[in-house]
Amino acid sequence: MIDYAYIFIPSFVLGLASRLSMLRVDYRQYPSYPQATLSHITLGAIAASLGSLAVPAIAAKEYSAITFLSLAAQQFRDVRNLERQSLDNIEPTELVPRGTAYIEDIAKSFEARNYVAMITSVLVSIAIFISSKLRLDDIVSIVIGIFIGIISIVYLKNKIKRTFVGEIADVREAKIGFDGPLLTINGIVIMNVGFDDSREIFIEKGVAVEIIPKDENSLSTLANLGQRQAITHEAAIQLGIRKDVDEPDFTPMIRRNSRNGRLMLVIVALEPDIECLIEIVKNTLVLESSKRKPLSSKYGRKAAD
Amino acid sequence: MDIGIKDAILAIVTTNKDAVEGGSVPVFYVNNREEMEHTALMIAKVTLAMIHDLDNDCFIIVKH
């Protein structure tokens, strides 16, 4: 097996590099730092090593070793379950929950990223193996392998890149008002706020935006409750929410104008900065599970005319 | 396991005795708007619920 170190090592390194390049520790704190991050790096390393072992195993006529790849697929399905379970478990502790759709999306992306690491490793090892079979120098084949690896990382990353709300909708400032006890955003009734002091706080500290879908696809995507919950969660964690468990009045809300499908988001924030809220909403991920494409169907297109 | 009554009226606070008929929900009769707000707030804080104004001198307390 040591004969194949020139295949195994570069492909392992590139596989791991692809996983690392997709591991971001940011404001979301998911994966949380440092423990969950470490476990994801380890899983990425396992994925990369499994991917890089496949070709040397075939070359060494160790066919049983390839069955390990199926084991790997099982392993990464477990990653998804693991992520889902742990996020589900902490969900009741969130002031503004992520929502099950967002959790599913996070879990899915963790699984997919491990596959990307594995595919990168396989591609690199195939490239090195083929070029060495063409009687190229080891160094040259490794360089070719690295080149292929970088191309595949960029390509795959681009392939699994997600869209943002800002790409499918316009976000504008909206006006908070009260019609008796009814909280309204641009004239759309959001909810009934009975307590006088709460209404004053809404006027003083509340910020609201109107999310205007750009086409029929985004219209039905944004109508999804999971997508809306994800937007409120993002807004709440980034702006800082002025709410505690005994103040349900200030729960951030998104309501849909059922006449034209526009969404109204209202949040009572610690930092009521409208510019920031608009950017936050624009930078919220469009969840894969809430994506709808009625315009791709014949009758959907017809109906949209 | 966290079990509670949600999305149902937990209590009614009112100054208008004619508007509410006693039933399955506790009704608190008070004398004026100020007292009504205070009582409603007290109940809402204990039940972690929200106050809704029915615009007929009635507050309902609902947990969401």
Side-chain angles (χ1 to χ4, degrees), chain A residues 175-179 182-184 196-207 250 266-268 272:
Chain A
K175 202 175 163 330
I176 297 177
F178 277 98
D179 176 11
L182 297 175
L183 168 67
T184 61
D196 257 349
D197 293 5
S198 299
R199 287 203 284 264
E200 273 166 33
I201 293 171
F202 259 107
I203 295 288
E204 189 189 328
K205 290 268 188 186
V207 269
F250 305 130
V266 61
I267 179 171
V268 182

Side-chain angles (χ1 to χ4, degrees), chain A:
Chain A
M1 202 65 180
I2 203 74
D3 301 343
Y4 295 103
Y6 71 100
I7 300 181
F8 175 74
I9 293 170
S11 47
F12 172 75
V13 170
L14 276 159
L16 187 58
S18 77
R19 183 68 189 92
L20 288 179
S21 71
M22 287 178 294
L23 192 65
R24 252 164 285 143
V25 178
D26 56 15
Y27 71 89
R28 279 176 285 234
Q29 282 297 295
Y30 206 85
S32 47
Y33 186 80
Q35 297 177 44
T37 312
L38 180 69
S39 58
H40 279 294
I41 293 173
T42 315
L43 282 166
I46 294 171
S49 64
L50 284 167
S52 51
L53 276 175
V55 171
I58 298 172
K61 298 202 165 47
E62 297 276 356
Y63 298 117
S64 58
I66 308 161
T67 53
F68 272 96
L69 282 182
S70 60
L71 199 89
Q74 179 63 44
Q75 160 95 2
F76 298 129
R77 262 209 305 283
D78 284 346
V79 171
R80 179 159 156 188
N81 280 331
L82 199 103
E83 291 307 327
R84 186 194 296 124
Q85 271 171 14
S86 93
L87 281 168
D88 270 340
N89 287 342
I90 59 168
E91 185 81 337
T93 65
E94 299 276 357
L95 265 183
V96 181
R98 286 187 174 84
T100 44
Y102 198 6
I103 289 177
E104 201 55 40
D105 216 61
I106 295 171
K108 237 184 263 175
S109 73
F110 275 114
E111 186 189 11
R113 284 166 188 188
N114 275 307
Y115 290 137
V116 169
M118 200 157 78
I119 293 168
T120 308
S121 291
V122 171
L123 290 178
V124 173
S125 61
I126 289 174
I128 299 178
F129 183 71
I130 290 175
S131 27
S132 68
K133 280 286 163 210
L134 296 173
R135 306 230 172 281
L136 291 174
D137 194 44
D138 276 1
I139 299 292
V140 178
S141 9
I142 288 173
V143 170
I144 292 174
I146 290 172
F147 184 65
I148 295 288
I150 291 169
I151 290 178
S152 65
I153 290 174
V154 172
Y155 175 76
L156 288 171
K157 250 178 105 166
N158 210 26
K159 263 287 165 207
I160 62 168
K161 203 172 80 178
R162 272 134 0 134
T163 39
F164 295 93
V165 170
E167 292 170 42
I168 64 166
D170 292 319
V171 184
R172 281 193 214 135
E173 182 178 0
K175 202 175 163 330
I176 297 177
F178 277 98
D179 176 11
L182 297 175
L183 168 67
T184 61
I185 308 292
N186 282 2
I188 299 298
V189 175
I190 306 292
M191 65 172 159
N192 183 319
V193 182
F195 194 50
D196 257 349
D197 293 5
S198 299
R199 287 203 284 264
E200 273 166 33
I201 293 171
F202 259 107
I203 295 288
E204 189 189 328
K205 290 268 188 186
V207 269
V209 291
E210 183 174 12
I211 305 168
I212 305 159
K214 282 183 180 163
D215 59 12
E216 272 70 13
N217 283 346
S218 43
L219 192 91
S220 41
T221 303
L222 288 168
N224 183 284
L225 295 179
Q227 181 63 54
R228 294 196 222 171
Q229 188 59 40
I231 296 173
T232 47
H233 174 81
E234 289 288 319
I237 55 168
Q238 286 175 71
L239 276 189
I241 183 165
R242 193 203 176 287
K243 178 199 168 193
D244 197 11
V245 280
D246 62 349
E247 293 171 320
D249 301 31
F250 305 130
T251 306
M253 284 238 179
I254 296 193
R255 287 283 179 267
R256 186 168 189 252
N257 181 345
S258 43
R259 269 174 299 149
N260 51 21
R262 294 178 176 188
L263 300 184
M264 311 293 168
L265 162 69
V266 61
I267 179 171
V268 182
L270 280 179
E271 307 288 342
D273 186 328
I274 186 69
E275 294 301 317
C276 295
L277 180 63
I278 289 174
E279 285 311 308
I280 290 166
V281 172
K282 278 184 175 172
N283 286 315
T284 303
L285 286 176
V286 174
L287 304 183
E288 214 170 278
S289 40
S290 43
K291 236 183 242 174
R292 301 283 179 276
K293 287 194 167 162
L295 289 181
S296 303
S297 104
K298 185 178 156 197
Y299 297 106
R301 253 194 324 273
K302 232 178 184 173
D305 292 341

Side-chain angles (χ1 to χ4, degrees), chain B residues 4-5 9 13 20 22 24 33-34 37 43-45 57 60 64:
Chain B
I5 301 170
I9 301 177
V13 185
V20 186
S24 56
R33 175 113 192 157
E34 214 169 287
E37 282 196 353
I43 301 168
K45 286 289 171 195
D57 299 323
I60 56 173
H64 295 287

